[in-house]
CSV table of all heavy atoms in Angstrom, one decimal:
chain,number,residue,atom,x,y,z
A,68,VAL,N,97.2,72.4,75.9
A,68,VAL,CA,97.5,73.5,75.0
A,68,VAL,C,97.0,73.1,73.6
A,68,VAL,O,97.4,72.0,73.2
A,68,VAL,CB,99.0,73.8,74.9
A,68,VAL,CG1,99.3,74.9,73.9
A,68,VAL,CG2,99.5,74.2,76.3
A,80,ALA,N,100.9,78.9,64.5
A,80,ALA,CA,101.4,79.3,65.8
A,80,ALA,C,102.0,78.1,66.5
A,80,ALA,O,103.0,78.3,67.3
A,80,ALA,CB,100.4,80.0,66.6
A,81,PHE,N,101.5,77.0,66.4
A,81,PHE,CA,102.0,75.8,67.1
A,81,PHE,C,103.1,75.1,66.5
A,81,PHE,O,103.6,74.1,66.9
A,81,PHE,CB,100.8,74.8,67.3
A,81,PHE,CG,99.7,75.4,68.1
A,81,PHE,CD1,98.6,76.1,67.5
A,81,PHE,CD2,99.7,75.4,69.5
A,81,PHE,CE1,97.7,76.6,68.3
A,81,PHE,CE2,98.8,75.9,70.3
A,81,PHE,CZ,97.8,76.6,69.7
A,82,ASN,N,103.6,75.7,65.3
A,82,ASN,CA,104.8,75.4,64.6
A,82,ASN,C,106.0,76.2,65.0
A,82,ASN,O,107.2,76.1,64.5
A,82,ASN,CB,104.6,75.3,63.2
A,82,ASN,CG,103.9,74.0,62.8
A,82,ASN,OD1,104.0,72.9,63.3
A,82,ASN,ND2,103.0,74.1,61.8
A,83,GLU,N,105.8,77.3,65.8
A,83,GLU,CA,106.8,78.4,66.0
A,83,GLU,C,107.8,77.8,67.1
A,83,GLU,O,107.3,77.1,68.0
A,83,GLU,CB,106.2,79.6,66.6
A,83,GLU,CG,105.3,80.3,65.5
A,83,GLU,CD,106.2,80.9,64.3
A,83,GLU,OE1,107.3,81.2,64.5
A,83,GLU,OE2,105.5,81.2,63.2
A,86,VAL,N,107.0,78.7,70.8
A,86,VAL,CA,106.0,77.8,71.5
A,86,VAL,C,106.5,76.4,71.8
A,86,VAL,O,106.4,76.0,72.9
A,86,VAL,CB,104.7,77.7,70.5
A,86,VAL,CG1,103.7,76.7,71.0
A,86,VAL,CG2,104.1,79.0,70.2
A,87,ALA,N,107.3,75.8,70.9
A,87,ALA,CA,107.9,74.5,71.2
A,87,ALA,C,108.8,74.6,72.4
A,87,ALA,O,108.9,73.7,73.3
A,87,ALA,CB,108.6,74.1,70.0
A,90,ILE,N,106.8,75.0,75.7
A,90,ILE,CA,106.2,73.8,76.1
A,90,ILE,C,107.3,72.8,76.6
A,90,ILE,O,107.2,72.1,77.6
A,90,ILE,CB,105.5,73.1,74.9
A,90,ILE,CG1,104.2,73.9,74.5
A,90,ILE,CG2,105.2,71.6,75.1
A,90,ILE,CD1,103.6,73.5,73.2
A,97,ILE,N,102.4,68.9,80.0
A,97,ILE,CA,101.6,69.5,78.9
A,97,ILE,C,101.1,68.4,77.9
A,97,ILE,O,101.8,67.6,77.5
A,97,ILE,CB,102.3,70.6,78.2
A,97,ILE,CG1,102.7,71.8,79.1
A,97,ILE,CG2,101.5,71.1,77.0
A,97,ILE,CD1,103.4,72.9,78.6
A,99,SER,N,99.3,68.4,74.2
A,99,SER,CA,99.1,69.1,73.1
A,99,SER,C,97.9,68.5,72.3
A,99,SER,O,97.9,67.4,72.0
A,99,SER,CB,100.3,69.2,72.2
A,99,SER,OG,100.0,69.8,70.9
A,101,THR,N,96.1,69.8,69.3
A,101,THR,CA,96.0,70.8,68.2
A,101,THR,C,95.4,70.2,66.9
A,101,THR,O,96.0,69.3,66.4
A,101,THR,CB,97.3,71.5,67.9
A,101,THR,OG1,97.9,72.0,69.1
A,101,THR,CG2,97.2,72.6,67.0
A,107,THR,N,99.5,67.6,62.6
A,107,THR,CA,100.5,67.5,63.5
A,107,THR,C,101.4,68.7,63.5
A,107,THR,O,101.7,69.2,62.4
A,107,THR,CB,101.4,66.2,63.2
A,107,THR,OG1,100.6,65.1,63.1
A,107,THR,CG2,102.5,66.0,64.3
A,108,THR,N,101.7,69.2,64.6
A,108,THR,CA,102.6,70.4,64.8
A,108,THR,C,103.7,70.1,65.6
A,108,THR,O,103.8,69.1,66.3
A,108,THR,CB,101.7,71.6,65.5
A,108,THR,OG1,101.4,71.2,66.9
A,108,THR,CG2,100.4,71.9,64.7
A,109,ILE,N,104.7,71.0,65.5
A,109,ILE,CA,105.9,70.9,66.4
A,109,ILE,C,105.6,70.9,67.8
A,109,ILE,O,106.2,70.2,68.5
A,109,ILE,CB,106.9,72.0,65.9
A,109,ILE,CG1,107.4,71.8,64.4
A,109,ILE,CG2,108.2,72.1,66.9
A,109,ILE,CD1,108.2,73.0,63.9
A,110,ALA,N,104.6,71.7,68.2
A,110,ALA,CA,104.2,71.6,69.7
A,110,ALA,C,103.8,70.2,70.1
A,110,ALA,O,104.1,69.9,71.2
A,110,ALA,CB,102.9,72.6,69.8
A,111,ASP,N,103.2,69.4,69.2
A,111,ASP,CA,102.9,68.0,69.5
A,111,ASP,C,104.1,67.2,69.9
A,111,ASP,O,104.0,66.4,70.8
A,111,ASP,CB,102.2,67.3,68.3
A,111,ASP,CG,100.8,67.9,68.1
A,111,ASP,OD1,100.1,68.4,68.9
A,111,ASP,OD2,100.4,67.8,66.8
A,112,TYR,N,105.2,67.5,69.3
A,112,TYR,CA,106.5,66.7,69.5
A,112,TYR,C,107.2,67.3,70.8
A,112,TYR,O,107.8,66.6,71.5
A,112,TYR,CB,107.4,66.9,68.3
A,112,TYR,CG,107.0,66.2,67.1
A,112,TYR,CD1,106.5,67.0,66.0
A,112,TYR,CD2,106.8,64.8,67.0
A,112,TYR,CE1,106.0,66.3,64.9
A,112,TYR,CE2,106.4,64.2,65.9
A,112,TYR,CZ,105.9,64.8,64.7
A,112,TYR,OH,105.5,64.3,63.7
A,113,ALA,N,106.9,68.6,71.1
A,113,ALA,CA,107.6,69.1,72.3
A,113,ALA,C,106.8,68.8,73.6
A,113,ALA,O,107.4,68.8,74.7
A,113,ALA,CB,107.7,70.6,72.2
A,114,ALA,N,105.5,68.4,73.4
A,114,ALA,CA,104.7,68.2,74.6
A,114,ALA,C,104.9,66.9,75.3
A,114,ALA,O,105.5,65.9,74.6
A,114,ALA,CB,103.2,68.3,74.2
A,115,ASP,N,104.5,66.7,76.5
A,115,ASP,CA,104.7,65.5,77.3
A,115,ASP,C,103.8,64.4,76.6
A,115,ASP,O,104.1,63.1,76.6
A,115,ASP,CB,104.3,65.6,78.8
A,115,ASP,CG,105.3,66.6,79.4
A,115,ASP,OD1,106.4,66.3,79.6
A,115,ASP,OD2,104.8,67.8,79.7
A,116,LEU,N,102.6,64.8,76.1
A,116,LEU,CA,101.6,63.9,75.5
A,116,LEU,C,101.1,64.6,74.2
A,116,LEU,O,100.8,65.8,74.4
A,116,LEU,CB,100.5,63.5,76.4
A,116,LEU,CG,100.8,62.4,77.4
A,116,LEU,CD1,99.5,62.1,78.3
A,116,LEU,CD2,101.1,61.1,76.7
A,117,ARG,N,100.8,63.8,73.2
A,117,ARG,CA,100.1,64.5,72.1
A,117,ARG,C,98.7,63.8,71.9
A,117,ARG,O,98.6,62.6,72.1
A,117,ARG,CB,100.9,64.2,70.7
A,117,ARG,CG,100.2,64.8,69.5
A,117,ARG,CD,100.3,63.8,68.3
A,117,ARG,NE,99.7,64.5,67.2
A,117,ARG,CZ,98.6,64.1,66.6
A,117,ARG,NH1,98.1,63.0,67.0
A,117,ARG,NH2,98.0,64.6,65.6
Side-chain angles (χ1 to χ4, degrees):
V68 177
F81 296 93
N82 284 319
E83 295 288 340
V86 172
I90 290 172
I97 295 181
S99 175
T101 306
T107 303
T108 64
I109 293 172
D111 293 332
Y112 294 109
D115 297 291
L116 280 175
R117 182 221 180 243

